[in-house]
Amino acid sequence: MFQMLDIGPLELNVNGEKRTVVARPADTLLYALREHLGLTGTKNACETGDCDVCTVLIDGWPVKSCHMLAVEAVGHQVNTIEGIKGSPVQTAFLAKEAFQCGYCTPGYIVTAHALLTLHPDAEDEVINEWLAGNLCRCTGYQEIKEAVLMALGR
Amino acid sequence: MISFDFEYYRPDTAAEAAEIYQVLSGAGKNPLYYGGGTEIITMAQSNQLKPGAIIDIKQIPECNVFEVRNDEILIGACLNLNQAAEGNLFPLLSKTARGIADHGSRDKITIGGNICGKLIYREGVLPFLVADGEVVISGQNGAAARPLSEVFSQTMQLRPGEFITQLKVKRSYASVAFFSQKKTKQAKVDYPLLTVAALRQGDDLRVAFSGLCTFPFRSVNIEQDLNSRDLSWESRVNNALGRLPGPVLNDLRGSAAYRLFVLSGALRDMLTQLKGVGENVSNA
Amino acid sequence: MGAVGTGVPRKEAKDKVTGNIKFVGDYISPGLMHARLVTGTYAHALLKNIQTAAAWRVPGVKAIVTGKDCSFLTGAYLEDRPPLAADKVRYYGEPVALVVADSELAAKQGAEEVRIEYEPLPAVNSVHDALRPGAPRIHENLGEYRRVKPVFPETNSNIADRVKVRKGDMGKGWAGSEITVEASFHLPQSDHVAMETRCVRAEIAPDGRVTIHSSSQAPFVIRKLISRYFLIDTGKITVIVPAVGGSFGGKAAVQLELLAYMASQAVGGRQVKLVNTREQEIISSPGRIGLDAEVRLGATKEGQLMAAEITYLVDGGAYSDIGAVMTKSIAADCTGPYKIDNVQCDALCVYTNHPYTTSYTGFGHASYTFAIERTLDMLAKKLKMDPWQLRRMNAIAPGDTSPTLTGLTTSNLGDTGKCLDRVKQLINWDEGQVVTGQDGKIRAKGLSALWKTSSTPTDARSGAILTFNPDGSLNIGVGAVEIGQGSKTNLAVMAAERLKMDVGKVHVMMEVNTHAHPEHFKTVASMTTFMAGRAVLEACDDIIHQLLSMASIVLRCSPEDLDVAGGRVFLTDNPNMYVDITELVHGYKYENGNSIGGQVIGRGSYIMRHLTEMDPETGKGNVGPGWTVGAEAVEVEFDPGDFTYKMLKAVAVLDAGKVINPRIAQAVVMGRMNMGLSLANREGLIYSGSGVVENASLRDYKIMRFAEQPQYTVEFIETPQIDAPYGARGLGEHGLIGMPAALGNALSAAARVELNQLPLLPETIWSVKEGRP
């Protein structure tokens, strides 16, 4: 049985690197990534799991890092926006002007990157399902949809 | 941010989980079993829940099965809602699970956690209610399967130290006609004004609801009304509306009167989709 | 080179898709102190006692600040708001105390231990409640508050400001009206929901210098107010704003900055971070006004508008802040873009026990436009006239006057008629407003025209300083903030155009620093391209002048013989004779070592001209440099069975004057359209009977999501505004203004019922249909 009784070191695998953070069992992964590892590309916007701005990949799947304890991530591969380089999703977001203020953008890139990896043939229904959690207040969503379609080669 | 501390345990077996629960409970640590944790984290942030320890059951093997064994579909309580939906062994569950929260949350919310949660909706239970499902309950004295109808009454009636490891339904329920509809105030991603899950077993409809009262339910009375083949659909629906097991919710998502309006529409949709044998369509 | 009018990508684009861009909250340091707000749990209550003993016992808590520690009141026009509630709370969520600790955890733990005793007072829960005789007084000392700018609070009432517009002769207007129509409207308060919640860091150096980092649209206002309230010379205050994660007007208000300063002061000047939780963002910091409106319109049988009598009751919440300014702005443009010779408008900024309000995209115009445009559709129905035709024939035009009697010209007014014509085509209006499908679903369209001027202070100003790097590339230094609207890129485009250089060689800085950059009023009112653009162009001309004069010496000719382009200064008649600007920008050096010229530094500034305050009795005044106009339409598919609907299409045609950057212009307008539809179709604060906000989370306060949006079409008409840079009018927020009205008109037509309230939920339509209250 794995256990963590108090504040202490945790070994996480983040963006392909082993990183040690000193966290409490009650600390969220979001907090640990930002405050302990300085990975501030993952943003905080609600802390209640209602906006997907803080989405990261856990073993390739998009998960809201505010809704996961740092300790839960032990033994899993965590990927943040900083670990996603040269994704077709990024190229497509640039080409389609699919962001304005940029605050929600890492969450979109991470989610869409996972979609591209896990469902390269995704149809509209799947795209809509996957991205319905991500809130954006600046765009009209249309350009985001266009960018995701472009990344999927459609 | 959660402003109090708790201990974290991740047992490898159900027996270990039950054992550590007893120890922690005895030490006054007010332990909680932890599945996806979305609800616990949110409520802990606002101090609505203050466990001294959490027991993460996601590592327990039987909580992660998803298979057909003999004539039963076994669904591990720690499958997340996306896994439950995408595996599609039980189509009514797939459809209903897809209506809960959003995709990112469904990667974390477990089916067992949804059913045992504190939120009043617990829509994940509806497919199991109408399919006469069973739950495997683990505790200090080992594991035992119980009919859901005996242990779910508004909420899961678990004794301290017990937790769900699996849900089971008869394989035959994977191939019956079913209906699942979620109605919201406006946004697709929202708690339900009403979620209806129904299936047709032989000539009879079975139906369960969430969002209508402060708890999810399946009602024999309502099923009797809806299955009264001698009555018109309109009468059946009207009768059913009068047999709700509690006051209709009246909250910021919708007034009670509007919920009843939405319910009558949903029931008509259900009847249309699941017309029983010998139904006179002109009744519609 | 031709940068203007081409699609130049945002300068900061790469940083935004890689997570590299830094917002205020992204600064992580072990030495940082953390503050947390303690907020009130009643909408209206006396503060009897604040117990802090338990909070002090939390390890790590270093200071607790309460209303007793700050003796001043703050406000944009009327100083009516204590930074921390002192004697009573006036809205649910009002900041009451501030706990400062050496960690975020300790600050939260401390805040949870602060105990507040209240004596509840009856809450004023609507503008109508507020105006009722005998209504509880929200501000007992209203008459004594200091007025910073023209504002007219009414003693012994809940009225923070009353604005009157009197144009023409109402007697004549009504006498000439053969058909009249009147209606009343209700729009709730709502929230900006910028994805980045407001965040501030403050520190005070040992010599008294103050540094504030803030997610703000108004760094120069922060500097002014810190100076005013804490008696510090403005020269000793530096306000720094990096990129801002969405703002929509909400981050133009100064609130947390004052609190963060006090927090830093309480811990000996150490740097303190204060960030809103989402709940605090929605209720404790200011949101968007609510509006109750009564509109009466009169017209001839042919449809010519003769008279408008309008009452706008602005639910400004518990404190006036920018609510009072928005009330003026609403009154000034009260009729929408229509020629009406006889107008009477009373606009009141009303206090309620709701969260206080501030500027918001559209600056109140979307709210009143809903009332006016819905009334126009009702009038068209009564006249048995096509709603588009009614708008087209009454569209305001050069030669008419605004409600505040500003003469309108082809320069200061865009072409509303052309916008309406194009929208009509794009939405396929001629197909019919309502079409019933074979499946029983109803497709219906709704229209709205819109206009807006800037309503800035009469002395609003901007400036620009341009410098060169040794490689000949240009740095633009301006005080305007990048809030996602792409302004920095637009300024680079304009500079590249004027200097005929590659826009890739024009650098912008995301950060604004009040010590390094010239003052820019605030990044609001879609005025950055206009004001900062004017300043940048002037600075470019200054640079051209310097380059030509230096090059004329080098090339031994007259400056008039020379031109600048492509990084060279050359003889116009012989471009092969040139000097590279890299040889000029830091002074020209001859072979023998002699040097001339010195650095080339461009300087430009702009100040609004000819603006006046509105006359308190008639409203007469010149409130903005020009009006951006437009027309919008929405098409819905409505299910008459369950009153649900889908938004199929939304169209906007705006007169941009000149589109500086089509990529960004399209995107920004589309985004604001989406926000307008979101407001209309689902948003609004929900109050309990005692004024408690019941939906202060993103779980309960819903905004539009991916795949819920209609197909958007954005087009521009270009009628240049002569005094604007390249003719470009203010553009951006206008996309929002007509959306709620267009949706309301479409759904009213589809459901065959007058929908005069927001949000337009299926339940709203159901209850109006059922005749429920």
Side-chain angles (χ1 to χ4, degrees):
Chain A
M1 179 165 63
F2 174 86
Q3 61 188 52
M4 183 186 186
L5 305 186
D6 203 347
I7 187 166
L10 277 181
E11 192 170 275
L12 299 180
N13 189 321
V14 182
N15 298 330
E17 296 173 2
K18 286 210 187 312
R19 302 291 303 268
T20 302
V21 300
V22 175
R24 299 182 303 142
D27 280 338
T28 60
L29 179 61
L30 170 64
Y31 186 80
L33 289 172
R34 287 179 56 83
E35 301 290 328
H36 297 315
L37 295 178
L39 293 169
T40 56
T42 304
K43 307 297 180 197
N44 180 5
C46 78
E47 282 195 284
T48 52
D50 293 306
C51 73
D52 281 24
V53 164
C54 68
T55 300
V56 299
L57 301 183
I58 304 294
D59 301 328
W61 285 85
V63 169
K64 306 170 201 224
S65 60
C66 74
H67 261 175
M68 182 162 189
L69 300 173
V71 59
E72 279 185 272
V74 171
H76 297 278
Q77 304 281 335
V78 181
N79 270 84
T80 68
I81 182 71
E82 287 90 348
I84 294 174
K85 298 207 171 87
S87 168
V89 175
Q90 285 161 318
T91 313
F93 268 63
L94 288 171
K96 296 292 180 185
E97 200 72 33
F99 53 90
Q100 289 179 32
C101 80
Y103 199 83
C104 69
T105 313
Y108 274 101
I109 302 273
V110 164
T111 307
H113 181 74
L115 174 68
L116 187 64
T117 312
L118 298 166
H119 288 274
D121 303 321
E123 297 291 329
D124 267 23
E125 197 188 334
V126 175
I127 298 171
N128 293 347
E129 182 188 355
W130 273 60
L131 291 170
N134 295 72
L135 290 183
C136 170
R137 192 59 153 173
C138 292
T139 71
Y141 292 117
Q142 185 163 306
E143 54 277 52
I144 296 177
K145 178 77 176 265
E146 286 170 10
V148 173
L149 289 174
M150 181 184 168
L152 288 164
R154 284 169 51 197
Chain B
M1 164 166 279
I2 296 169
S3 55
F4 59 90
D5 285 314
F6 51 69
E7 298 172 354
Y8 175 88
Y9 298 85
R10 191 197 292 160
D12 298 313
T13 64
E16 209 174 40
E19 193 187 315
I20 191 67
Y21 187 98
Q22 292 305 325
V23 172
L24 293 168
S25 191
K29 294 213 166 139
N30 184 27
L32 274 183
Y33 289 113
Y34 182 98
T38 57
E39 211 176 290
I40 292 177
I41 292 174
T42 305
M43 294 179 88
Q45 275 170 352
S46 51
N47 295 305
Q48 291 169 277
L49 275 179
K50 286 189 104 168
I54 59 170
I55 303 166
D56 185 345
I57 58 171
K58 288 197 292 292
Q59 200 88 305
I60 297 169
E62 53 264 50
C63 292
N64 289 295
V65 299
F66 194 25
E67 61 186 40
V68 179
R69 201 179 290 165
N70 304 321
D71 66 338
E72 281 183 329
I73 304 168
L74 300 187
I75 298 163
C78 289
L79 290 180
N80 71 45
L81 295 179
N82 282 335
Q83 291 168 327
E86 287 175 18
N88 206 24
L89 295 182
F90 181 18
L92 176 59
L93 175 62
S94 301
K95 178 98 193 284
T96 308
R98 276 206 162 89
I100 299 171
D102 57 58
H103 187 267
S105 293
R106 292 198 294 273
D107 273 338
K108 198 83 194 339
I109 300 171
T110 62
I111 182 68
N114 179 266
I115 290 173
C116 297
K118 300 245 184 257
L119 290 169
I120 60 173
Y121 306 104
R122 301 185 284 276
E123 294 149 276
V125 79
L126 304 182
F128 297 100
L129 286 176
V130 293
D132 292 330
E134 291 185 19
V135 281
V136 180
I137 296 173
S138 270
Q140 220 183 356
N141 304 321
R146 303 273 307 277
L148 191 61
S149 56
E150 287 176 18
V151 291
F152 190 91
S153 168
Q154 303 194 354
T155 61
M156 272 302 296
Q157 307 292 306
L158 295 173
R159 283 183 298 235
E162 290 182 339
F163 63 101
I164 299 183
T165 54
Q166 282 171 5
L167 293 128
K168 297 183 187 183
V169 288
K170 293 265 181 298
R171 193 180 178 177
S172 57
Y173 286 109
S175 49
V176 298
F178 69 93
F179 173 86
S180 178
Q181 191 177 66
K182 175 170 173 169
K183 295 279 194 180
T184 58
K185 179 182 182 179
Q186 178 77 290
K188 269 189 200 148
V189 176
D190 198 357
Y191 291 132
L193 271 176
L194 172 68
T195 298
V196 183
L199 54 77
R200 203 180 72 203
Q201 174 69 356
D203 283 352
D204 281 347
L205 302 181
R206 296 175 180 186
V207 58
F209 306 89
S210 161
L212 206 49
C213 302
T214 54
F215 49 86
F217 64 90
R218 175 183 168 188
S219 155
V220 176
N221 292 337
I222 288 175
E223 287 177 5
Q224 271 175 5
D225 289 328
L226 295 172
N227 287 319
S228 305
R229 225 157 270 108
D230 48 333
L231 295 178
S232 72
W233 287 11
E234 209 53 49
S235 310
R236 289 188 226 173
V237 169
N238 284 339
N239 291 347
L241 295 188
R243 300 247 251 169
L244 298 174
V248 176
L249 279 176
N250 190 26
D251 60 15
L252 56 85
R253 292 195 161 70
S255 65
Y258 180 64
R259 275 190 158 91
L260 287 174
F261 167 75
V262 171
L263 173 62
S264 61
L267 291 176
R268 277 194 297 272
D269 288 349
M270 183 198 69
L271 288 167
T272 309
Q273 198 172 316
L274 298 181
K275 283 188 292 278
V277 175
E279 284 284 327
N280 182 352
V281 179
S282 66
N283 271 348
Chain C
M1 287 278 151
V4 165
T6 66
V8 175
R10 283 166 193 281
K11 288 281 179 185
E12 74 284 12
K14 199 73 189 267
D15 275 347
K16 284 184 173 171
V17 299
T18 55
N20 192 51
I21 197 148
K22 296 286 184 280
F23 299 91
V24 175
D26 292 338
Y27 174 80
I28 312 290
S29 164
L32 201 56
M33 307 284 284
H34 297 263
R36 181 129 177 153
L37 284 179
V38 180
T39 61
T41 50
Y42 286 87
H44 199 193
L46 295 176
L47 285 173
K48 301 305 287 181
N49 187 14
I50 302 174
Q51 289 176 27
T52 57
W56 275 111
R57 284 196 291 272
V58 172
V61 168
K62 302 294 180 194
I64 299 172
V65 185
T66 67
K68 289 204 175 86
D69 303 313
C70 39
S71 55
F72 61 92
L73 296 175
T74 173
Y77 270 48
L78 180 65
E79 290 185 340
D80 57 3
R81 186 176 68 81
L84 290 170
D87 305 320
K88 66 173 187 174
V89 289
R90 296 184 173 88
Y91 68 95
Y92 174 75
E94 180 164 1
V96 175
L98 198 56
V99 177
V100 193
D102 60 11
S103 72
E104 202 179 330
L105 176 63
K108 183 170 187 250
Q109 288 171 331
E112 286 167 357
E113 294 298 331
V114 173
R115 300 272 175 271
I116 305 168
E117 281 173 39
Y118 300 93
E119 183 182 317
L121 297 169
V124 175
N125 214 0
S126 73
V127 289
H128 294 294
D129 275 0
L131 297 177
R132 211 161 275 149
R137 290 280 167 270
I138 296 168
H139 293 269
E140 294 80 0
N141 303 322
L142 184 53
E144 292 157 33
Y145 289 153
R146 190 158 76 110
R147 301 169 197 191
V148 192
K149 288 183 181 171
V151 61
F152 307 95
E154 298 181 4
T155 314
N156 294 323
S157 82
N158 288 319
I159 299 170
D161 196 13
R162 183 188 292 267
V163 188
K164 296 179 209 166
V165 168
R166 302 287 182 268
K167 176 185 178 185
D169 177 342
M170 292 311 290
K172 229 162 108 184
W174 293 126
S177 298
E178 291 158 295
I179 306 282
T180 62
V181 59
E182 57 184 299
S184 43
F185 302 88
H186 174 71
L187 288 76
Q189 287 188 326
S190 45
D191 190 63
H192 302 83
V193 196
M195 293 321 297
E196 175 203 30
T197 63
R198 293 162 173 96
C199 182
V200 188
R201 302 196 315 269
E203 65 186 306
I204 307 166
D207 65 359
R209 282 175 302 114
V210 177
T211 306
I212 308 274
H213 288 77
S214 178
S215 57
S216 172
Q217 296 168 258
F220 297 91
V221 181
I222 296 170
R223 182 178 68 180
K224 181 172 78 184
L225 297 187
I226 294 276
S227 167
R228 180 184 296 167
Y229 299 129
F230 303 111
L231 308 174
I232 302 163
D233 295 340
T234 47
K236 289 189 171 172
I237 303 162
T238 306
V239 181
I240 298 169
V241 176
V244 171
S247 50
F248 317 110
K251 290 172 181 168
V254 177
Q255 182 199 30
L256 298 190
E257 294 84 358
L258 305 177
L259 298 175
Y261 173 85
M262 290 192 283
S264 175
Q265 201 178 31
V267 293
R270 280 189 275 181
Q271 185 166 204
V272 177
K273 177 180 178 179
L274 174 61
V275 56
N276 268 349
T277 64
R278 180 55 65 182
E279 183 183 16
Q280 289 163 350
E281 183 75 4
I282 294 175
I283 56 171
S284 300
S285 285
R288 178 172 184 256
I289 58 164
L291 182 74
D292 281 65
E294 279 170 41
V295 179
R296 188 168 170 229
L297 294 179
T300 64
K301 271 192 285 198
E302 292 71 34
Q304 189 190 342
L305 292 172
M306 299 301 293
E309 190 179 315
I310 305 166
T311 307
Y312 292 134
L313 305 177
V314 170
D315 183 352
Y319 299 104
S320 61
D321 195 71
I322 301 289
V325 195
M326 293 173 79
T327 306
K328 291 183 197 307
S329 176
I330 287 171
D333 285 347
C334 61
T335 55
Y338 301 103
K339 173 182 159 52
I340 308 178
D341 289 338
N342 309 295
V343 177
Q344 176 179 323
C345 173
D346 290 274
L348 278 67
C349 181
V350 181
Y351 288 120
T352 62
N353 290 119
H354 291 164
Y356 79 106
T357 56
T358 191
S359 47
Y360 192 107
T361 307
F363 212 58
H365 285 53
S367 306
Y368 83 75
T369 297
F370 182 79
I372 292 291
E373 295 285 330
R374 284 288 304 115
T375 312
L376 280 174
D377 262 30
M378 288 185 241
L379 178 64
K381 200 192 262 178
K382 219 165 167 181
L383 288 163
K384 297 191 170 57
M385 198 172 165
D386 179 280
W388 180 85
Q389 188 60 38
L390 176 65
R391 287 174 173 80
R392 186 67 178 85
M393 74 176 280
N394 288 289
I396 202 156
D400 300 335
T401 58
S402 79
T404 64
L405 300 178
T406 296
L408 300 171
T409 68
T410 50
S411 175
N412 72 4
L413 180 72
D415 193 332
T416 313
K418 260 192 191 168
C419 294
L420 278 165
D421 291 348
R422 185 63 184 139
V423 155
K424 186 183 183 203
Q425 292 171 337
L426 290 171
I427 201 72
N428 193 16
W429 182 260
D430 289 337
E431 164 195 38
Q433 191 183 6
V434 177
V435 179
T436 305
Q438 290 188 330
D439 54 1
K441 298 239 175 99
I442 297 168
R443 267 196 309 117
K445 308 180 216 299
L447 287 173
S448 174
L450 62 103
W451 74 341
K452 183 184 177 297
T453 188
S454 59
S455 306
T456 62
T458 56
D459 61 347
R461 53 195 173 267
S462 187
I465 298 170
L466 309 188
T467 56
F468 281 97
N469 301 302
D471 63 1
S473 62
L474 184 76
N475 305 312
I476 297 187
V478 289
V481 178
E482 180 58 49
I483 51 181
Q485 85 289 38
S487 284
K488 300 258 184 190
T489 306
N490 283 352
L491 295 174
V493 165
M494 288 193 283
E497 176 86 19
R498 181 61 62 101
L499 295 172
K500 297 184 201 142
M501 65 190 287
D502 177 3
V503 70
K505 296 192 92 174
V506 182
H507 302 292
V508 297
M509 217 177 137
M510 281 307 108
E511 187 172 285
V512 171
N513 178 321
T514 56
H515 253 151
H517 297 132
E519 179 165 328
H520 178 79
F521 152 61
K522 298 184 210 177
T523 305
V524 295
S526 304
M527 276 286 109
T528 306
T529 299
F530 180 84
M531 289 172 50
R534 282 285 301 252
V536 164
L537 290 186
E538 189 178 284
C540 288
D541 290 344
D542 187 26
I543 279 175
I544 292 169
H545 174 79
Q546 293 173 49
L547 288 174
L548 296 190
S549 102
M550 214 188 310
S552 71
I553 298 167
V554 176
L555 297 173
R556 296 169 209 182
C557 60
S558 147
E560 286 74 35
D561 294 341
L562 298 170
D563 197 1
V564 183
R568 292 171 171 183
V569 183
F570 55 88
L571 273 174
T572 318
D573 56 314
N574 180 14
N576 290 328
M577 195 165 180
Y578 68 90
V579 54
D580 206 287
I581 66 163
T582 55
E583 294 182 60
L584 298 173
V585 292
H586 289 118
Y588 184 81
K589 192 172 174 183
Y590 288 93
E591 278 179 18
N592 71 353
N594 290 172
S595 300
I596 58 163
Q599 284 193 59
V600 174
I601 299 170
R603 165 204 162 275
S605 77
Y606 180 75
I607 189 160
M608 288 288 188
R609 61 153 209 233
H610 300 165
L611 300 190
T612 61
E613 299 291 350
M614 291 166 71
D615 181 276
E617 294 308 317
T618 66
K620 189 173 187 305
N622 188 20
V623 296
W627 278 261
T628 300
V629 302
E632 300 190 310
V634 173
E635 181 176 341
V636 298
E637 183 183 70
F638 175 73
D639 184 335
D642 63 7
F643 309 111
T644 59
Y645 62 94
K646 222 176 121 179
M647 295 178 284
L648 301 176
K649 282 184 195 160
V651 174
V653 179
L654 303 177
D655 191 337
K658 171 73 188 173
V659 181
I660 300 294
N661 189 333
R663 265 172 87 104
I664 291 178
Q666 287 263 348
V668 170
V669 171
M670 184 157 63
R672 302 295 73 73
M673 291 167 75
N674 195 64
M675 194 170 187
L677 287 177
S678 182
L679 283 169
N681 131 308
R682 64 189 60 182
E683 293 183 38
L685 294 186
I686 299 170
Y687 305 100
S688 73
S690 57
V692 169
V693 178
E694 294 185 318
N695 57 342
S697 72
L698 294 183
R699 182 94 30 116
D700 296 330
Y701 187 99
K702 295 291 183 183
I703 66 171
M704 285 252 282
R705 283 176 187 265
F706 188 89
E708 292 177 324
Q709 80 280 6
Q711 181 69 37
Y712 290 110
T713 305
V714 179
E715 285 195 8
F716 299 107
I717 303 284
E718 295 187 328
T719 310
Q721 179 177 337
I722 294 163
D723 60 332
Y726 296 105
R729 299 174 186 279
L731 184 71
E733 60 185 326
H734 310 84
L736 185 148
I737 295 172
M739 280 291 117
L743 181 66
N745 283 335
L747 286 170
S748 297
R752 297 169 184 277
V753 69
E754 304 301 350
L755 298 169
N756 293 345
Q757 68 192 79
L758 295 182
L760 295 161
L761 306 166
E763 180 169 4
T764 316
I765 305 171
W766 170 80
S767 62
V768 175
K769 275 288 228 192
E770 295 269 301
R772 286 168 185 267

